[in-house]
PDB file of all heavy atoms in Angstrom:
ATOM      1  N   GLY U 139     -20.678  22.398  45.238  1.00 98.00           N
ATOM      2  CA  GLY U 139     -21.638  22.143  44.204  1.00 98.00           C
ATOM      3  C   GLY U 139     -21.404  20.825  43.590  1.00 98.00           C
ATOM      4  O   GLY U 139     -20.453  20.061  43.963  1.00 98.00           O
ATOM      5  N   GLY U 140     -22.081  20.456  42.640  1.00 98.00           N
ATOM      6  CA  GLY U 140     -21.870  19.155  41.990  1.00 98.00           C
ATOM      7  C   GLY U 140     -23.044  18.700  41.035  1.00 98.00           C
ATOM      8  O   GLY U 140     -23.957  19.483  40.760  1.00 98.00           O
ATOM      9  N   SER U 141     -22.937  17.527  40.580  1.00 99.00           N
ATOM     10  CA  SER U 141     -23.855  16.988  39.678  1.00 99.00           C
ATOM     11  C   SER U 141     -24.264  15.524  40.064  1.00 99.00           C
ATOM     12  O   SER U 141     -23.335  14.672  40.345  1.00 99.00           O
ATOM     13  CB  SER U 141     -23.177  16.962  38.264  1.00 99.00           C
ATOM     14  OG  SER U 141     -23.974  16.330  37.246  1.00 99.00           O
ATOM     15  N   ILE U 142     -25.527  15.253  40.098  1.00 99.00           N
ATOM     16  CA  ILE U 142     -26.059  13.852  40.395  1.00 99.00           C
ATOM     17  C   ILE U 142     -26.729  13.454  39.088  1.00 99.00           C
ATOM     18  O   ILE U 142     -27.534  14.169  38.529  1.00 99.00           O
ATOM     19  CB  ILE U 142     -27.006  13.872  41.591  1.00 99.00           C
ATOM     20  CG1 ILE U 142     -26.308  14.467  42.851  1.00 99.00           C
ATOM     21  CG2 ILE U 142     -27.619  12.475  41.738  1.00 99.00           C
ATOM     22  CD1 ILE U 142     -27.200  14.535  44.033  1.00 99.00           C
ATOM     23  N   LEU U 143     -26.374  12.266  38.660  1.00 98.00           N
ATOM     24  CA  LEU U 143     -26.913  11.753  37.402  1.00 98.00           C
ATOM     25  C   LEU U 143     -27.553  10.340  37.669  1.00 98.00           C
ATOM     26  O   LEU U 143     -27.055   9.581  38.491  1.00 98.00           O
ATOM     27  CB  LEU U 143     -25.865  11.357  36.357  1.00 98.00           C
ATOM     28  CG  LEU U 143     -24.809  12.374  36.099  1.00 98.00           C
ATOM     29  CD1 LEU U 143     -23.868  11.882  35.038  1.00 98.00           C
ATOM     30  CD2 LEU U 143     -25.493  13.716  35.632  1.00 98.00           C
ATOM     31  N   THR U 144     -28.659  10.080  37.047  1.00 99.00           N
ATOM     32  CA  THR U 144     -29.242   8.672  37.017  1.00 99.00           C
ATOM     33  C   THR U 144     -29.549   8.322  35.642  1.00 99.00           C
ATOM     34  O   THR U 144     -29.658   9.099  34.745  1.00 99.00           O
ATOM     35  CB  THR U 144     -30.506   8.656  37.990  1.00 99.00           C
ATOM     36  OG1 THR U 144     -30.852   7.330  38.177  1.00 99.00           O
ATOM     37  CG2 THR U 144     -31.636   9.423  37.374  1.00 99.00           C
ATOM     38  N   LEU U 145     -29.810   6.909  35.578  1.00 99.00           N
ATOM     39  CA  LEU U 145     -30.089   6.339  34.194  1.00 99.00           C
ATOM     40  C   LEU U 145     -31.561   5.920  34.154  1.00 99.00           C
ATOM     41  O   LEU U 145     -31.996   5.347  35.117  1.00 99.00           O
ATOM     42  CB  LEU U 145     -29.150   5.091  34.018  1.00 99.00           C
ATOM     43  CG  LEU U 145     -27.846   5.227  33.432  1.00 99.00           C
ATOM     44  CD1 LEU U 145     -27.939   5.799  31.888  1.00 99.00           C
ATOM     45  CD2 LEU U 145     -26.982   6.293  34.158  1.00 99.00           C
ATOM     46  N   THR U 146     -32.273   6.381  33.083  1.00 99.00           N
ATOM     47  CA  THR U 146     -33.647   6.010  32.979  1.00 99.00           C
ATOM     48  C   THR U 146     -33.858   5.438  31.571  1.00 99.00           C
ATOM     49  O   THR U 146     -32.927   5.315  30.772  1.00 99.00           O
ATOM     50  CB  THR U 146     -34.480   7.242  33.346  1.00 99.00           C
ATOM     51  OG1 THR U 146     -35.886   6.840  33.354  1.00 99.00           O
ATOM     52  CG2 THR U 146     -34.315   8.392  32.385  1.00 99.00           C
ATOM     53  N   TYR U 147     -35.241   5.125  31.344  1.00 98.00           N
ATOM     54  CA  TYR U 147     -35.540   4.574  30.041  1.00 98.00           C
ATOM     55  C   TYR U 147     -36.922   5.032  29.670  1.00 98.00           C
ATOM     56  O   TYR U 147     -37.813   5.228  30.434  1.00 98.00           O
ATOM     57  CB  TYR U 147     -35.543   2.945  30.212  1.00 98.00           C
ATOM     58  CG  TYR U 147     -35.933   2.293  28.883  1.00 98.00           C
ATOM     59  CD1 TYR U 147     -35.203   2.545  27.696  1.00 98.00           C
ATOM     60  CD2 TYR U 147     -37.032   1.448  28.857  1.00 98.00           C
ATOM     61  CE1 TYR U 147     -35.591   1.929  26.496  1.00 98.00           C
ATOM     62  CE2 TYR U 147     -37.422   0.799  27.629  1.00 98.00           C
ATOM     63  CZ  TYR U 147     -36.679   1.108  26.484  1.00 98.00           C
ATOM     64  OH  TYR U 147     -37.106   0.505  25.358  1.00 98.00           O
ATOM     65  N   LEU U 148     -37.151   5.082  28.299  1.00 98.00           N
ATOM     66  CA  LEU U 148     -38.364   5.534  27.714  1.00 98.00           C
ATOM     67  C   LEU U 148     -39.661   4.878  28.238  1.00 98.00           C
ATOM     68  O   LEU U 148     -40.728   5.463  28.228  1.00 98.00           O
ATOM     69  CB  LEU U 148     -38.263   5.298  26.227  1.00 98.00           C
ATOM     70  CG  LEU U 148     -39.399   5.735  25.184  1.00 98.00           C
ATOM     71  CD1 LEU U 148     -39.538   7.201  25.210  1.00 98.00           C
ATOM     72  CD2 LEU U 148     -39.080   5.212  23.812  1.00 98.00           C
ATOM     73  N   GLY U 149     -39.528   3.705  28.680  1.00 98.00           N
ATOM     74  CA  GLY U 149     -40.684   2.959  29.374  1.00 98.00           C
ATOM     75  C   GLY U 149     -41.319   3.643  30.466  1.00 98.00           C
ATOM     76  O   GLY U 149     -42.366   3.332  30.982  1.00 98.00           O
ATOM     77  N   SER U 150     -40.713   4.814  30.988  1.00 99.00           N
ATOM     78  CA  SER U 150     -41.354   5.653  31.954  1.00 99.00           C
ATOM     79  C   SER U 150     -42.456   6.547  31.426  1.00 99.00           C
ATOM     80  O   SER U 150     -43.372   6.852  32.227  1.00 99.00           O
ATOM     81  CB  SER U 150     -40.222   6.702  32.480  1.00 99.00           C
ATOM     82  OG  SER U 150     -39.749   7.531  31.498  1.00 99.00           O
ATOM     83  N   VAL U 151     -42.381   6.839  30.163  1.00 98.00           N
ATOM     84  CA  VAL U 151     -43.466   7.750  29.605  1.00 98.00           C
ATOM     85  C   VAL U 151     -44.231   7.070  28.481  1.00 98.00           C
ATOM     86  O   VAL U 151     -45.254   7.668  28.000  1.00 98.00           O
ATOM     87  CB  VAL U 151     -42.845   9.103  29.133  1.00 98.00           C
ATOM     88  CG1 VAL U 151     -42.426   9.940  30.292  1.00 98.00           C
ATOM     89  CG2 VAL U 151     -41.583   8.913  28.211  1.00 98.00           C
ATOM     90  N   ARG U 152     -43.870   6.023  27.947  1.00 98.00           N
ATOM     91  CA  ARG U 152     -44.514   5.222  26.920  1.00 98.00           C
ATOM     92  C   ARG U 152     -44.649   3.760  27.505  1.00 98.00           C
ATOM     93  O   ARG U 152     -43.852   3.279  28.242  1.00 98.00           O
ATOM     94  CB  ARG U 152     -43.743   5.126  25.635  1.00 98.00           C
ATOM     95  CG  ARG U 152     -43.268   6.494  25.116  1.00 98.00           C
ATOM     96  CD  ARG U 152     -44.180   7.138  24.251  1.00 98.00           C
ATOM     97  NE  ARG U 152     -43.526   8.413  23.716  1.00 98.00           N
ATOM     98  CZ  ARG U 152     -42.694   8.366  22.750  1.00 98.00           C
ATOM     99  NH1 ARG U 152     -42.384   7.278  22.052  1.00 98.00           N
ATOM    100  NH2 ARG U 152     -42.077   9.572  22.438  1.00 98.00           N
ATOM    101  N   VAL U 153     -45.616   3.087  26.919  1.00 98.00           N
ATOM    102  CA  VAL U 153     -45.752   1.632  27.247  1.00 98.00           C
ATOM    103  C   VAL U 153     -44.877   0.860  26.306  1.00 98.00           C
ATOM    104  O   VAL U 153     -44.972   0.910  25.117  1.00 98.00           O
ATOM    105  CB  VAL U 153     -47.302   1.292  27.102  1.00 98.00           C
ATOM    106  CG1 VAL U 153     -47.339  -0.332  27.294  1.00 98.00           C
ATOM    107  CG2 VAL U 153     -48.125   1.862  28.047  1.00 98.00           C
ATOM    108  N   ILE U 154     -43.937   0.152  26.933  1.00 97.00           N
ATOM    109  CA  ILE U 154     -42.992  -0.658  26.289  1.00 97.00           C
ATOM    110  C   ILE U 154     -43.234  -2.120  26.682  1.00 97.00           C
ATOM    111  O   ILE U 154     -43.274  -2.407  27.809  1.00 97.00           O
ATOM    112  CB  ILE U 154     -41.530  -0.338  26.534  1.00 97.00           C
ATOM    113  CG1 ILE U 154     -41.169   1.162  26.291  1.00 97.00           C
ATOM    114  CG2 ILE U 154     -40.556  -1.280  25.768  1.00 97.00           C
ATOM    115  CD1 ILE U 154     -41.118   1.622  24.931  1.00 97.00           C
TER     116      ILE U 154
END
Side-chain angles (χ1 to χ4, degrees):
S141 177
I142 300 176
L143 315 180
T144 189
L145 271 295
T146 187
Y147 179 59
L148 182 63
S150 62
V151 289
R152 311 270 182 81
V153 173
I154 307 285

